Amino acid sequence: MTLYIDPPTWPGHGRLWSHLVSDVSYEELHAFAARIGAPPRAFERDHYDIPAHHYREAVAAGAVEVSSREVVRLLTRAGLRRRKRSGGLPVEERSLGERPVGERPLGERPLGERSVEERSAGDR
């Protein structure tokens, strides 16, 4: 069992936070989080938010220290990444065809808006 944690650099609610993730399964992540006393409400989509004052406890319990970028790489490579979407649930948790009001289908852009690729090509 290997869990990973990034440095507590994410501000929120007057504190700094870390992200605790697994590259194996959510079950492994939930079990580890329970073992270190992280409440279920600290789980957000694909990670647990861990306050800075509990960072060392997570590392002492076996979480491996990695960069924030590595956290995203690990989740993505494991197929466990759940990206935040505007208007509610992550894409993975929505039923087929369900979309918040005003959110466009994937790949659809407002008239005249350029894609990331088009904007990058224009910057070269």
Side-chain angles (χ1 to χ4, degrees), residues 1-5 20 28-29 31-38 50 54-65:
M1 177 191 315
T2 303
L3 282 287
Y4 302 90
I5 192 166
L20 178 69
E28 176 186 61
L29 177 60
F32 185 88
R35 206 170 83 228
I36 65 169
I50 304 295
H54 288 295
Y55 178 81
R56 286 282 153 223
E57 294 168 32
V59 172
V64 175
E65 298 171 278

Side-chain angles (χ1 to χ4, degrees), residues 9-98:
T9 57
W10 301 95
H13 309 286
R15 298 180 182 182
L16 291 176
W17 300 82
S18 293
H19 299 121
L20 178 69
V21 302
S22 167
D23 65 347
V24 173
S25 70
Y26 295 120
E27 291 77 20
E28 176 186 61
L29 177 60
H30 294 311
F32 185 88
R35 206 170 83 228
I36 65 169
R41 71 178 180 277
F43 182 71
E44 186 178 338
R45 294 181 320 276
D46 56 11
H47 66 275
Y48 275 84
D49 290 324
I50 304 295
H53 62 276
H54 288 295
Y55 178 81
R56 286 282 153 223
E57 294 168 32
V59 172
V64 175
E65 298 171 278
V66 296
S67 71
S68 297
R69 284 186 176 188
E70 188 62 16
V71 161
V72 174
R73 278 190 212 111
L74 288 162
L75 286 170
T76 302
R77 197 173 344 165
L80 297 173
R81 179 78 169 123
R82 290 182 175 168
R83 294 178 18 196
K84 191 176 205 174
R85 293 288 185 188
S86 63
L89 294 173
V91 169
E92 298 83 359
E93 294 180 16
R94 293 188 196 155
S95 61
L96 193 57
E98 183 181 321

